[in-house]
Amino acid sequence: MQHQTLIIAGMHRSGTSLITNWLNRCGLEIGERLLGSGTGNVDGHFEDIEFLRLHKDILDNNSLDVSGLVDAKKIELSAYQLGKLETIIKIKQQLYEQWGWKDPRTCLFLDTYNKLLPEAKYLVIMRDYNAVINSLLKRDFAVIDKKYLARNYFSRQVWVYLRRKRRVAKFYAEHAETYLRVWINYNEEILRTLKKLSVDDYLVVNYELLLEKDEQIINFLKEKWQFNLSYFDFNQVYKGDLMSRANDVDPFINTKTLLIKAQYLQLRLNHFVKLG
C-alpha cells in the first residue's frame, strides 16, 4: 500500500491548528483522538494525542517545559521513546493510506521524523515573530485578566481603567524576549530541515495569506503530492474576529542582537515560501 504522510509544522500560534482543522474537513486523517479546546484555541488544537503525549514525555525526560516553549538545541530520545514513536507511525501506516498530524513540538524533533518518515511531505506555516510573540503574550495575559475581571465592581474598574495597561507593558517586558528565543529556536529547526529536503517535498505558506491561498494549497496537495482531498471553503473555519492588531514587540527586547537574528532568519525562510 502506498502511503501519503503530511507533517504539519510551525511555531506555536502560527495557525497550525487552523489549517489542520481545515485539512481534516478536506478529508485528511489527523488522528483518532485529538486535543480539545483551551485558552487561545476555542475550536480545538487538533493535535493527535499519541504524538502530543510522547512529545511531552520526551521534553519532561530532558527536564524541559512540556509546553515545548523552549530554546533547547539538544533533546535526547531514549531507546524506549524512539521505539514507541516507530510503533505509532507503523500503526498509522497500517490504518491509513493518507494521514498527517500537527503538534508545534514536532519542530523540535524534525531530524528524527526525517529519518523515520523519509517519504513524508512537509506543510510549513510561517508567521512573523512579532505576530507570534503578541499572540503568545495575549494568550498568557488573558489568564491574569480573567482573574481580575472576576472581582467585585470597584476592583474591576480599577483594573480596567488604571492598572491593566501598566501591567500589560510590564508583562511584555518580562516575557517578550523569552518567546523571541523560542521563535528563533523553532524556525532555525524548520530552516535546517528545509535545507535538507528536496524542493518537491515541502510547501511553505505565509500565515497571513492562508485565506487567499486555500484553493492553491489544496490543488498543490492533490496534484503535486497526490493526496485524495476535497476542497472545503477555508472561510468556514477562519475566524477573522479573533484576530487583533499586534503591538510592536521590538522595544521590549533588551538583547538587540536577537532582533537582528530573528529578522535575518525571517528573510532566509521567506526564500522557501511557495505560496505567499
Side-chain angles (χ1 to χ4, degrees):
M1 182 187 294
Q2 183 178 2
H3 299 283
Q4 294 292 89
T5 306
L6 186 67
I7 298 175
I8 302 165
M11 168 64 185
H12 297 259
R13 314 305 296 170
S14 290
T16 53
S17 295
L18 181 66
I19 203 165
T20 305
N21 177 13
W22 173 63
L23 288 172
N24 182 230
R25 291 172 184 249
C26 292
L28 181 69
E29 173 59 46
I30 60 169
E32 300 80 18
R33 294 185 299 154
L34 303 175
L35 182 65
S37 61
T39 303
N41 282 76
V42 294
D43 290 331
H45 293 78
F46 301 94
E47 292 171 5
D48 188 318
I49 294 292
E50 298 295 332
F51 286 103
L52 176 62
R53 285 181 175 172
L54 185 52
H55 291 163
K56 285 186 172 182
D57 285 345
I58 296 168
L59 289 166
D60 189 46
N61 284 357
N62 282 266
S63 301
L64 296 169
D65 194 322
V66 297
S67 71
L69 294 169
V70 300
D71 64 351
K73 296 296 182 186
K74 290 289 186 180
I75 303 178
E76 301 292 337
L77 280 74
S78 67
Y80 169 77
Q81 289 165 339
L82 184 59
K84 190 172 182 180
L85 187 54
E86 290 174 331
T87 299
I88 292 172
I89 291 171
K90 183 178 180 180
I91 292 172
K92 298 285 187 184
Q93 299 284 45
Q94 291 173 344
L95 289 174
Y96 309 111
E97 292 185 31
Q98 59 175 31
W99 63 283
W101 82 90
K102 166 262 175 181
D103 173 22
R105 298 164 189 80
T106 299
C107 296
L108 301 172
F109 312 106
L110 287 174
D111 275 346
T112 299
Y113 284 117
N114 187 237
K115 294 172 185 174
L116 296 180
L117 284 164
E119 304 302 319
K121 307 301 182 186
Y122 292 75
L123 177 59
V124 178
I125 312 302
M126 292 302 309
R127 193 179 190 190
D128 69 272
Y129 72 84
N130 192 72
V132 167
I133 294 170
N134 266 281
S135 185
L136 285 165
L137 292 170
K138 181 181 177 182
R139 182 191 65 180
D140 291 353
F141 192 78
V143 177
I144 298 172
D145 201 33
K146 184 178 180 180
K147 179 183 71 173
Y148 282 97
L149 292 176
R151 296 184 175 183
N152 61 51
Y153 176 80
F154 178 74
S155 296
R156 289 200 304 272
Q157 299 305 301
V158 171
W159 170 249
V160 170
Y161 294 106
L162 296 178
R163 296 185 59 198
R164 182 159 58 183
K165 187 176 181 179
R166 292 197 302 272
R167 187 66 179 274
V168 166
K170 183 174 184 290
F171 192 79
Y172 268 61
E174 291 172 346
H175 301 286
E177 185 165 312
T178 297
Y179 283 149
L180 180 59
R181 292 179 186 275
V182 175
W183 183 93
I184 290 171
N185 185 40
Y186 271 66
N187 285 283
E188 282 181 337
E189 292 301 317
I190 290 171
L191 179 61
R192 189 176 296 114
T193 299
L194 291 175
K195 290 165 70 174
K196 294 178 182 177
L197 296 173
S198 162
V199 68
D200 294 324
D201 290 338
Y202 64 80
L203 175 63
V204 183
V205 184
N206 188 316
Y207 169 86
E208 303 297 332
L209 296 177
L210 286 176
L211 193 63
E212 300 175 24
K213 304 289 185 178
D214 59 338
E215 290 191 63
Q216 292 182 46
I217 294 170
I218 285 297
N219 288 337
F220 186 97
L221 268 61
K222 290 170 63 176
E223 297 169 12
K224 186 74 172 178
W225 290 342
Q226 304 301 305
F227 279 90
N228 182 21
L229 301 172
S230 300
Y231 174 72
F232 182 86
D233 188 356
F234 192 75
N235 280 286
Q236 299 298 312
V237 297
Y238 180 81
K239 294 186 176 180
D241 58 317
L242 295 179
M243 303 296 293
S244 58
R245 187 176 65 83
N247 297 316
D248 181 10
V249 300
D250 288 15
F252 298 99
I253 308 299
N254 293 320
T255 309
K256 299 306 178 184
T257 53
L258 285 176
L259 289 174
I260 297 170
K261 189 174 186 178
Q263 290 159 5
Y264 180 60
L265 179 56
Q266 218 158 250
L267 285 173
R268 294 179 69 192
L269 286 164
N270 281 336
H271 290 299
F272 289 88
V273 174
K274 294 180 182 178
L275 295 180

